[in-house]
Amino acid sequence: MPGEALSPWAKTLSNTGFTTGVALGDTDCDGDLDMVLGSDMAGFLCTLWLNDGTGEFTKAPKDLVSPMTVAVKLCDLDRNGWLDLATGNYNKAQYLGIPNRVYMNDGAGNLDYYTTLGEARTHGLDAADMNGDGRVDLLAGNYGEPSVIWLNQGMGPVFDTGYWNSNYDTTAAVTACDVDGDGDLDIIASNYEGEPNAVWRSR
């Protein structure tokens, strides 16, 4: 109830490793929120946890083969009403870029590997229709290289590298929002290592 203290409620999920990203959404279309966890530690894969409707989660039978995942985002990329998944990946131990991945939902809650997007040290992800064409695009906030937008061209979907170059190469998180109320989505980026956080306005 509003104003009441939260009661302690501990839930543990086994074999989740060093979790660095979480996303919630109804992946199996049963009316409750499921959960995707990303782990950036070698030997632990990205996992989908299905909600039974009471807050009890069961690990989906198939792991998502997305190694060293820092960020996860559930969104409908092909406009069929089912939530798909994008993962932002980064090998921190060796300071190497790893291809980001896209998984498409088959309508039964199974997230099947579909394609890769570049090879970057991605720390932050967001999803939004950045160019107003009705399709959800992907924003990747990268470390050690410029951040980019992957524009959704439909047709599968197919993605093309977009038009945003952040000028900063230590981005930890990105989010799309209309900060100036003009109806276009802008971008806010938070950055590491003394680089200024930045707001990028659409024109």
Side-chain angles (χ1 to χ4, degrees), residues 38-141:
S39 174
D40 70 349
M41 185 176 183
F44 291 90
L45 298 176
C46 194
T47 54
L48 170 64
W49 295 78
L50 299 174
N51 189 342
D52 69 358
T54 68
E56 296 290 340
F57 291 89
T58 301
K59 184 174 172 292
K62 184 171 64 174
D63 286 330
L64 306 172
V65 185
S66 185
M68 299 184 181
T69 296
V70 179
V72 289
K73 190 70 179 182
L74 287 167
C75 50
D76 184 6
L77 293 170
D78 54 1
R79 298 192 294 182
N80 63 1
W82 306 327
L83 289 176
D84 310 303
L85 173 68
T87 66
N89 306 319
Y90 174 30
N91 185 336
K92 291 182 179 179
Q94 300 180 23
Y95 196 67
L96 296 174
I98 298 176
N100 298 330
R101 296 185 177 224
V102 172
Y103 298 80
M104 305 305 292
N105 193 329
D106 66 359
N110 301 305
L111 297 170
D112 298 322
Y113 169 70
Y114 174 69
T115 192
T116 59
L117 296 178
E119 188 165 318
R121 306 177 186 99
T122 298
H123 279 213
L125 279 179
D126 201 7
D129 180 9
M130 296 303 299
N131 57 357
D133 65 356
R135 294 186 286 262
V136 174
D137 309 305
L138 295 171
L139 292 77

Side-chain angles (χ1 to χ4, degrees), residues 134-149:
R135 294 186 286 262
V136 174
D137 309 305
L138 295 171
L139 292 77
N142 298 326
Y143 184 90
E145 53 200 279
S147 300
V148 298
I149 295 175

